[in-house]
């Protein structure tokens, strides 16, 4: 592996995943390697323009969190708490005994408690302002993801929510690394969460032309980098990583799954929702992240791409990857399996990239049968590929022109 | 529990997912971890349940299920 002298790496010592691919790291990793999409018809959305999506299967909030506690939380918070608990346990940390003042929380979220807002808006229209629940605001606000996880785990250091749309989870990990580098925290739980599969949200996305229209065959709808892709499939989920300074992780004998070695962020300053067609924003983020890691483009073995399956994203991102990295890196988009979990995506995909580093396995891109002829990159399709992954990159792009890239390395 | 208490208990366990084993006539809302916001939510639901107005602040966290039932009975609600 190339030299990384001078760069600041933080150890990933814990992972928590609550996604359409399953609950827990093992379920996720097993499903991701099958390359089979999780998209299914959603019976609650039969009147919506797109009646299919990727939900977390079998998520029983009452059983996991207690009925009365779960009742007071929106689903994006519930998912985050369960992922955060998993992650702390995976890291071998015990929140009942840790020094909470040294533990920070940084979580990405974008759409907050959309379910609550829709429900309460209906109550307002039907029965007037007094019918609006006093819990509307605490259930709606995006920062409650961090606030409730802090309460649940007794984390009393800095906490915040990052909102860079679909790059939020990656931004959270980059921000968490800064909190460790500055010494503000000894442990940071960083990630992202999203659950906003409501009629209004999905209608809005559909009206933008962002969603796949393959309602007759949902499982084939999300097909990143495929010539016949027609949009993304909305998903929900949460991913949380426990990050620590490497020397701290070593000192307590923690297992280090991978290392976050570099981060880069850049903004298109171009258009509210369309990526800059030349991909210069994501290119700048990626080059910055590689430089931050002390690595060169030729060092990258694997890219977990943003790869949403929209016509515009995949061609822009794919061309950029070829331009910057050449054709050596094994590229995948795990969104083919999970759908697009929006603000959670960057964190979930960073976790998958960490697992790719740990296991030397690049998962396949679901539904990729014919690579977009505009692209000349090595996209893994069909079956998982066993290979050495010393350096992995995870890219994220968000509405608003937010771009973020993470560089993960083997320990 | 009397009839009104039983109906309040049913609201607590169905609408608020409170463990039914934790509910009896003498338990306070505080003991059930109901804060002031949850009590306002409860007031709204009990208003519909019993068809009688309950002002914000009438239910307080030191009240028991029995106290709440008496408040509602005093407003003319019957089982």
């Amino acid at each position: 592996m190339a030299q990384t002298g001078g760069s600041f790496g933080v150890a990933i010592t814990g992972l928590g995943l609550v996604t359409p691919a399953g609950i827990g790291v093992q379920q996720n990793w097993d499903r991701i390697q099958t390359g089979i999409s999780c998209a299914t018809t959603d019976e609650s959305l039969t009147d919506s323009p797109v009646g299919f999506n990727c939900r977390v299967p079998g998520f029983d909030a009452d059983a996991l969190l207690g009925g009365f506690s779960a009742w007071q939380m929106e689903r994006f918070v519930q998912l985050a708490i369960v992922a955060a608990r998993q992650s702390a346990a995976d890291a071998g940390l015990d929140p009942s005994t840790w020094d909470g003042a040294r533990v920070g929380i940084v979580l990405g979220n974008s759409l907050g408690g959309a379910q609550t807002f829709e429900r309460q808006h209906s109550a307002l229209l039907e029965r007037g302002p007094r019918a609006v629940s006093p819990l509307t605001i605490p259930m709606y606000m995006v920062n409650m993801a961090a606030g409730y996880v802090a309460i649940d785990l007794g984390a009393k250091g800095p906490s915040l929510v990052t909102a860079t749309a679909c790059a939020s989870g990656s931004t959270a990990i980059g921000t968490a690394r800064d909190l460790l580098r500055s010494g503000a925290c000894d442990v940071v739980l960083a990630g992202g969460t999203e659950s906003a599969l409501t009629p209004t949200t999905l209608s809005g996305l559909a009206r933008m032309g962002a969603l796949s229209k393959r309602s007759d065959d949902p499982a084939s709808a999300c097909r990143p980098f495929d010539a016949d892709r027609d949009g993304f499939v909305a998903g929900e989920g949460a991913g949380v990583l426990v990050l620590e300074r490497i020397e701290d992780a070593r000192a307590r004998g923690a297992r280090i799954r991978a290392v976050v070695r570099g981060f880069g962020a850049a903004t298109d300053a171009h258009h509210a929702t369309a990526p800059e067609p030349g991909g210069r924003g994501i290119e700048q983020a990626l080059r910055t992240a590689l430089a931050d890691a002390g690595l060169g483009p030729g060092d990258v073995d694997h890219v977990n791409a943003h790869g949403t399956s929209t016509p515009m994203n995949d061609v822009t991102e794919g061309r950029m990857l070829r331009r910057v990295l050449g054709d050596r890196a094994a590229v995948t988009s795990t969104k083919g399996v999970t759908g697009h979990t929006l603000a959670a995506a960057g964190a979930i995909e960073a976790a998958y990239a960490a697992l790719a580093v740990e296991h030397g396995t690049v998962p396949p891109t679901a539904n990729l049968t014919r690579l977009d002829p505009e692209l000349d990159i090595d996209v893994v399709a069909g079956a998982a590929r066993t290979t050495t992954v010393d350096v992995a990159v995870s890219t994220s792009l968000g509405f608003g022109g937010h771009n973020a890239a993470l560089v993960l390395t083997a320990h | 529990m009397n009839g009104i208490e039983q109906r309040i208990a049913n609201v607590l366990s169905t609408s608020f997912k409170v463990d039914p084993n934790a509910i009896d006539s003498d338990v306070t809302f505080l003991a059930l971890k109901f804060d002031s916001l949850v009590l306002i939510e409860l007031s709204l639901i009990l208003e519909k349940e019993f068809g009688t107005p309950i002002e914000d602040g009438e239910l307080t966290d030191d009240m028991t299920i029995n106290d709440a039932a008496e408040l509602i009975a005093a407003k003319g609600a019957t089982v």
Side-chain angles (χ1 to χ4, degrees), chain A residues 100-106 146 150 155-160 179 184-185 187-189:
Chain A
R102 301 294 302 161
V103 179
I105 308 288
V106 188
K156 298 177 179 175
S159 67
L160 72 153
L179 289 173
C185 299
V187 174
V188 182
L189 279 76

Side-chain angles (χ1 to χ4, degrees), chain A residues 62 66-72 120 127 130-135 138, chain B residues 15-18 32-34 37-38 40-41 44 47-48 54-56:
Chain A
D62 292 353
F68 181 57
S69 293
W71 171 81
Q72 295 177 72
Q120 297 304 322
R127 291 180 281 131
R130 197 165 177 277
V132 174
S133 169
L135 293 167
Chain B
S15 295
F16 295 82
K17 300 188 179 174
V18 174
L32 296 175
K33 298 184 177 173
F34 275 44
L37 301 185
V38 179
I40 293 173
E41 184 84 13
L44 292 173
E47 274 190 358
K48 277 204 286 188
I54 301 173
E55 297 303 320
D56 295 351

Side-chain angles (χ1 to χ4, degrees), chain A residues 7-298:
Chain A
S7 70
F8 182 78
V10 293
I12 302 171
T13 57
L15 296 177
L17 289 165
V18 181
T19 82
I23 299 173
V25 170
Q26 195 60 51
Q27 274 189 24
N28 268 267
W29 192 232
D30 289 347
R31 178 62 183 252
I32 286 299
Q33 289 182 82
T34 67
I36 297 171
S37 169
C38 299
T40 55
T41 300
D42 187 334
E43 302 299 334
S44 72
L45 292 167
T46 49
D47 295 331
S48 292
V50 177
F52 63 97
N53 53 43
C54 294
R55 288 191 187 270
V56 178
F59 183 76
D60 187 343
D62 292 353
L64 292 165
L65 302 170
F68 181 57
S69 293
W71 171 81
Q72 295 177 72
M73 298 168 190
E74 255 276 10
R75 189 169 164 96
F76 77 104
V77 172
Q78 297 171 349
L79 300 177
I81 289 177
V82 174
R85 287 182 182 177
Q86 282 178 13
S87 189
D90 188 51
L93 292 170
D94 181 356
S96 70
T97 59
W98 67 20
D99 179 3
R102 301 294 302 161
V103 179
I105 308 288
V106 188
L107 295 174
N109 182 253
S110 188
L111 295 166
Q115 282 100 186
T116 292
F117 209 79
E118 288 192 15
R119 201 161 43 239
Q120 297 304 322
H121 186 244
S122 295
L124 175 73
L125 295 181
E126 289 164 11
R127 291 180 281 131
R130 197 165 177 277
V132 174
S133 169
L135 293 167
T136 301
I137 299 305
M139 290 178 78
Y140 173 67
M141 293 191 298
V142 295
N143 62 297
M144 286 299 168
Y148 268 115
V149 168
I151 292 168
D152 191 70
L153 299 180
K156 298 177 179 175
S159 67
L160 72 153
V161 158
T162 55
T164 51
C166 301
S168 300
S170 301
T171 305
I173 293 168
T175 303
R177 181 164 160 264
D178 288 343
L179 289 173
L180 292 163
R181 176 157 40 191
S182 73
C185 299
D186 294 334
V187 174
V188 182
L189 279 76
T193 185
E194 193 88 87
S195 179
L197 301 174
T198 71
T200 306
T201 303
L202 292 170
S203 297
L205 290 169
R207 298 289 291 155
M208 291 175 76
L211 299 180
S212 169
K213 298 181 179 68
R214 282 189 167 82
S215 51
D216 55 330
D217 187 11
S220 76
C222 189
R223 37 197 325 116
F225 300 113
D226 189 85
D228 296 323
R229 69 191 183 276
D230 73 331
F232 75 78
V233 175
E236 64 172 2
V240 176
L241 292 70
V242 171
L243 303 177
E244 304 171 66
R245 286 179 292 272
I246 291 174
E247 60 270 27
D248 295 346
R250 280 192 189 133
R252 71 177 184 87
R255 171 198 48 184
I256 298 176
R257 286 185 177 273
V259 173
V260 180
R261 182 67 65 178
F263 175 71
T267 309
D268 286 349
H270 167 72
H271 185 269
T273 55
E276 192 277 311
R280 285 184 284 255
I282 187 63
E283 176 176 345
Q284 183 185 329
L286 176 53
R287 290 191 188 280
T288 302
L290 287 168
D292 185 31
L295 293 166

